[in-house]
Amino acid sequence: MTPGRLLHHEISGPADAPLLVLGPSLGTSMTVWEPHLTALATAFRVLRFDLPGHGGSPATLLRDTGPGRTTVEELAQLVLALADELAYDEFHYAGISLGGAIGARIAARCPGRVASLALVCTSAHFGEPGPWRERAELVRLKGTAPLLATSPGRWFADPHQAGTPLGRALLKNLADADPRGYAACCDALATYDLRAELTHITAPTLVIGGSQDTATPLHHAEELAAGIPHATLRTVDCGHLAMEQPGAVALALDTLLRPDRAMRSPAGPGTGGPRSVPG
């Protein structure tokens, strides 16, 4: 894939450090990872990317933005193409919401590519397809403007977070999103269901659930952790974008990503359940 056909991205951290890929949530951009970037980029080569139609990534990266055409698998292939272009066969991955779904898909179907996996406020199945298709249709007709009033209630534990510099930046991401790309990502979420493939994930996995996440409540995190062999479940007092407690999120990620961590259970794959660690 030529550079002009790659997801828009930025790279931070030491050039010789292991690669950590950070996936954003629907409606946001790589900006959603700003609270965590300084801590993560001290020990990792951090690669942040924008979803098609979000931030600097054009919607035209998708083969067809028409209704029902886009899947999480296609989004995952765009991320893999970016890693290939940068010559990384293996990488660590952390993703929020849709960004997490992309990472889980890669880990389940290309296990040799993912060294470790962090799933933040995400799900193996985001509910029935109808509401996602309705949202996609609305955005194709009217753009993302109708979503601006309700998004703070879905994104933040405290809607007043919308008035902070980061909150304003994230809502601007939503306002500026290309309706074609946003709607296509809704279509991808409509058909996403990884529940039957969770046992295929062999990478050491951390699942972070937000105690105040109304978009993907804690039972989504619990289902992920129960289905992925030896996953660790950690609860953080945050909303859907995990921005209210950056220190707690960074600490949780540190337990997974530190080179001296014990990533795999000595019992081996296929035994035991998730380890639950309180936030």
Side-chain angles (χ1 to χ4, degrees):
M1 182 174 286
T2 61
R5 297 294 299 168
L6 293 172
L7 292 166
H8 177 251
H9 59 280
E10 290 185 4
I11 302 176
S12 309
D16 58 348
L19 184 69
L20 170 61
V21 180
L22 300 178
S25 173
L26 173 70
T28 71
S29 73
M30 63 178 72
T31 300
V32 73
W33 282 103
E34 286 287 349
H36 317 288
L37 184 60
T38 299
L40 294 172
T42 57
F44 289 89
R45 187 72 163 165
V46 176
L47 170 64
R48 295 181 297 159
F49 67 87
D50 290 329
L51 295 162
H54 297 66
S57 290
T60 51
L61 288 172
L62 299 169
R63 291 187 292 268
D64 185 345
T65 59
R69 300 293 188 179
T70 301
T71 63
V72 170
E73 176 67 25
E74 182 178 0
L75 299 175
Q77 290 301 319
L78 287 171
V79 173
L80 288 172
L82 180 56
D84 290 344
E85 183 70 22
L86 298 172
Y88 284 94
D89 293 329
E90 186 181 59
F91 47 85
H92 303 271
Y93 188 100
I96 301 170
S97 193
L98 175 53
I102 291 169
R105 174 71 81 179
I106 295 171
R109 298 196 173 177
C110 305
R113 302 299 300 268
V114 179
S116 69
L117 177 67
L119 303 175
V120 183
C121 297
T122 186
S123 182
H125 176 62
F126 291 86
E128 294 302 312
W132 291 110
R133 290 171 178 158
E134 290 170 6
R135 192 191 301 187
E137 182 179 7
L138 172 66
V139 169
R140 286 188 172 100
L141 288 173
K142 298 184 178 181
T144 58
L147 307 180
L148 292 172
T150 57
S151 289
R154 289 196 305 271
W155 282 0
F156 311 126
D158 178 358
H160 289 98
Q161 289 283 342
T164 66
L166 179 58
R168 290 195 298 270
L170 293 171
L171 287 169
K172 187 175 188 305
N173 288 161
L174 178 61
D176 292 344
D178 185 325
R180 297 171 299 168
Y182 185 97
C185 287
C186 289
D187 290 332
L189 289 168
T191 59
Y192 179 72
D193 189 349
L194 201 66
R195 290 175 291 185
E197 297 181 54
L198 292 179
T199 56
H200 299 173
I201 297 176
T202 58
T205 300
L206 169 69
V207 180
I208 297 177
S211 62
Q212 299 189 61
D213 183 358
T214 59
T216 50
L218 276 177
H219 69 85
H220 290 267
E222 292 165 351
E223 182 177 46
L224 281 168
I228 299 171
H230 305 295
T232 297
L233 174 62
R234 186 179 289 271
T235 302
V236 174
D237 186 23
C238 65
H240 186 56
L241 298 187
M243 62 174 281
E244 293 86 1
Q245 298 287 341
V249 173
L251 181 61
L253 290 172
D254 189 60
T255 65
L256 177 73
L257 296 171
R258 281 178 60 86
D260 57 351
R261 68 196 181 280
M263 293 197 306
R264 297 187 185 275
S265 165
T271 61
R275 292 175 291 138
S276 183
V277 182

